[in-house]
């Protein structure tokens, strides 16, 4: 027997034993072509890989330390059901009028790219900032970075964060400062990062902090002419006062 097939079968047996009950929905509908437990678990694997999660993410704890796969008490399972239907619809639409092997098949991974929240990082951070403030947004960013850095899903480069912060720094300098300070934890040598922080301080009318940040920006990169210009301006302004 092909070893891969053997492994799949063996896994299926293990799961069949682990499960406290037969796959009840399918077992009760013999008229439907009943997918066996191997197929079910393989399908479930595409979910865990697509979203970068464990089985418990959608299922709930059952008895004797096992998961209760049948229960619908986890709201994420309900969302997943809609997602499964949506993904099937998308594939139907893509496939219309074309032969099966000439079409791309969309899977959970296509959108989710190994993470549960498929939105681009800038949307996630902006929304968190608007709902819960700069501190919460910074904490969330740190947590995502800790977990997903190096993977393909989120763009953790400094550019993305700086351009995101730029969109709200004038209206919400305090939130911007939280995020820009966090950025410097990850890019402590970034002259641009310090320039951006300085700008946010000026929005809060905190010129002394802005000047300190600009000096740091110039230490790191003496060619940062924007920082130099801003520092000159602030100094002139201070002398006039
Ligand atoms: C992204 C959410 C999600 C993840 C992660 C997930 N499942 Fe599921 N699972 C579902 C949904 C939704 C159903 C119900 C499908 C249906 O009713 O059509 C289901 C059904 C099942 C069933 C059939 C239960 C029954 O009797 O009705 C089994 C067994 C199962 N999952 C096992 C697993 C295993 C093992 C894992 C981890 C490898 C896993 N699942 C991970 C969403 C998930
Ligand atoms: C076309 C893109 C797309 C595909 C394909 C897709 N998803 Fe999603 N998924 C999303 C979006 C967008 C959200 C966020 C929805 C929201 O904000 O309410 C989401 C959210 C979810 C969530 C909720 C996550 C959370 O923690 O709140 C689950 C669970 C989920 N998807 C499961 C799946 C599964 C399982 C598949 C494959 C069968 C799948 N998705 C395929 C776009 C997709």
């Amino acid at each position: 027997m092909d070893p891969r097939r053997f492994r799949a079968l063996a896994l299926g047996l293990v799961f069949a034993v682990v499960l406290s009950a037969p796959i009840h929905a399918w077992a009760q509908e013999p008229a439907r072509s009943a997918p066996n437990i191997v197929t079910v678990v393989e399908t479930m694997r595409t979910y865990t890989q697509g979203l970068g999660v464990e089985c418990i993410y959608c299922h709930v704890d059952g008895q004797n330390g096992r998961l209760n796969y049948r229960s619908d008490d986890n709201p994420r399972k309900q969302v997943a059901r809609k997602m499964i239907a949506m993904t099937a619809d998308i594939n139907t639409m893509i496939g219309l009028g074309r032969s099966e092997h000439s079409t791309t098949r969309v899977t959970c991974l296509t959108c989710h790219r190994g993470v549960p929240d498929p939105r681009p990082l800038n949307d996630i951070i902006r929304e968190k900032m608007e709902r819960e403030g700069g501190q919460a947004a910074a904490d969330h960013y740190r947590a995502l970075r800790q977990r997903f850095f190096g993977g393909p899903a989120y763009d953790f480069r400094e550019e993305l964060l700086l351009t995101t912060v730029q969109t709200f720094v004038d209206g919400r300098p305090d939130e911007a400062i939280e995020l820009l300070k966090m950025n410097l934890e990850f890019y402590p040598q970034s002259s641009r990062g310090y320039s951006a922080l300085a700008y946010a301080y000026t929005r809060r009318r905190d010129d002394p902090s802005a000047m300190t940040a600009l000096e740091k920006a110039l230490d790191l990169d003496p060619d940062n002419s924007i920082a130099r210009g801003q520092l000159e301006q602030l100094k002139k302004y201070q002398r006039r006062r």
Side-chain angles (χ1 to χ4, degrees), residues 14-240:
V14 169
F15 272 106
V17 173
V18 167
L19 290 171
S20 48
I23 305 300
H24 121 115
W26 289 302
Q28 285 185 353
E29 294 174 58
R32 241 169 73 190
S33 62
N36 64 20
I37 184 70
V38 177
T39 326
V40 174
V41 173
E42 273 173 5
T43 306
M44 294 296 145
R45 287 259 154 73
T46 69
Y47 304 164
T48 53
Q49 282 165 7
L51 275 68
V53 296
E54 309 279 342
C55 310
I56 186 73
Y57 189 76
C58 294
H59 292 288
V60 293
D61 282 323
Q63 284 168 340
N64 310 325
R66 296 173 188 160
L67 296 188
N68 177 350
Y69 294 112
R70 248 198 267 164
S71 162
D72 276 352
D73 287 346
N74 187 335
R76 288 186 187 129
K77 190 180 180 191
Q78 320 276 3
V79 178
R81 262 208 190 95
K82 291 189 192 144
M83 290 277 152
I84 294 163
M86 177 192 72
T87 307
D89 282 353
I90 293 175
N91 284 316
T92 307
M93 301 288 260
I94 296 177
L96 284 180
R98 294 167 68 184
S99 73
E100 199 181 311
H101 44 262
S102 74
T103 55
T104 302
R105 255 186 66 78
V106 169
T107 65
C108 314
L109 186 67
T110 313
C111 290
H112 282 270
R113 299 157 356 266
V115 296
D117 187 342
R119 292 172 300 163
L121 189 57
N122 49 344
D123 287 354
I124 295 176
I125 295 308
R126 228 201 121 97
E127 192 217 33
K128 196 81 177 170
M129 183 279 295
E130 271 159 11
R131 286 201 181 177
E132 295 171 43
Q135 183 70 56
D139 287 346
H140 194 51
Y141 187 99
R142 281 191 199 94
L144 288 175
R145 198 176 194 279
Q146 168 101 23
R147 189 158 159 215
F148 298 116
F149 186 79
Y154 294 135
D155 181 350
F156 289 110
R157 284 174 303 171
E158 182 183 31
E159 285 72 24
L160 184 83
L161 190 65
L162 294 186
T163 45
T164 306
V165 170
Q166 214 169 18
T167 63
F168 57 80
V169 61
D170 287 320
R172 311 195 50 170
D174 291 337
E175 325 293 314
I177 287 166
E178 289 290 346
L179 282 156
L180 291 168
K181 280 187 178 165
M182 178 210 67
N183 178 59
L184 288 165
E185 288 168 21
F186 299 120
Y187 297 99
Q189 303 299 318
S190 168
S191 183
R192 268 181 76 190
Y194 276 102
S195 290
L197 180 62
Y199 179 79
Y201 278 129
T202 64
R203 296 295 90 189
R204 202 167 72 179
R205 300 180 197 291
D206 180 354
D207 287 357
S209 299
M211 285 160 76
T212 311
L214 286 169
E215 270 154 14
K216 184 79 188 165
L218 283 169
D219 274 353
L220 291 165
D221 176 14
D223 295 335
N224 186 338
S225 52
I226 297 175
R228 194 171 297 282
Q230 279 170 349
L231 187 58
E232 288 310 316
Q233 247 182 352
L234 282 178
K235 277 183 179 162
K236 236 187 264 169
Y237 184 70
Q238 295 286 311
R239 279 197 295 269
R240 261 191 270 130

